[in-house]
Amino acid sequence: MILRYTILYVEDVPATLDFYERAFALSRGFLHDSGDYGELATGETRLAFSSKALMHRLGKTPGRAEPKAPVFELAFETDDVRAALDRALAAGATLLQDVREEDWGQTTAYVGDPNGYLVEICSPVQLPSAG
């Protein structure tokens, strides 16, 4: 098994793709002609979005994302957390936690996207050596 994609349910797929392209410098991989499904190229695993309207047509009832009471987060890694945070804020993200140096040696910041999803902007984690 491999994790191929993660799908977030949103009201407006094209607007969400546009936000993530501007906020996090991601590239659009695909947008269906209907506008109900799209993907961003993020390496091996794709970040995808499906419209809530499509999910309702398929018999699903998606819940509402709440960044102050999240059940998961997206994490984007960068060598310059401050610059990435500034870019995300300029694109319309909501600041939830400013840049902070964590005890484990990682730099983090948190924003909410326009759909209410929690997004972490972080530096690479320095894992201890195996030997």
Side-chain angles (χ1 to χ4, degrees):
M1 290 280 191
I2 59 170
L3 178 60
R4 176 53 60 205
Y5 48 86
T6 297
I7 304 171
L8 303 181
Y9 303 140
V10 301
E11 294 295 335
D12 187 332
V13 173
T16 299
L17 291 173
D18 180 62
F19 167 77
Y20 275 82
E21 289 169 325
R22 290 181 294 109
F24 304 108
L26 298 174
S27 299
R28 187 172 304 203
F30 171 77
L31 175 61
H32 189 270
D33 291 341
S34 68
D36 280 326
Y37 181 82
E39 296 177 349
L40 294 167
T42 60
E44 292 294 318
T45 303
R46 296 176 196 102
L47 178 57
F49 303 94
S50 179
S51 71
K52 289 183 179 181
L54 175 60
M55 291 299 98
H56 286 288
R57 289 193 302 270
L58 297 174
K60 296 176 175 64
T61 308
R64 182 171 182 233
E66 176 51 58
K68 293 183 180 177
V71 295
F72 72 93
E73 67 186 56
L74 298 174
F76 294 115
E77 187 177 283
T78 179
D79 290 326
D80 190 342
V81 174
R82 169 56 63 195
L85 175 61
D86 291 345
R87 179 185 180 123
L89 295 174
T94 302
L95 180 64
L96 299 173
Q97 176 205 295
D98 205 349
V99 174
R100 181 170 75 195
E101 299 297 324
E102 304 294 357
D103 293 340
W104 53 88
Q106 187 180 36
T107 304
T108 65
Y110 285 87
V111 298
D113 84 353
N115 302 287
Y117 290 107
L118 179 65
V119 180
E120 177 185 18
I121 302 167
C122 60
S123 65
V125 176
Q126 298 301 317
L127 299 174
S129 66

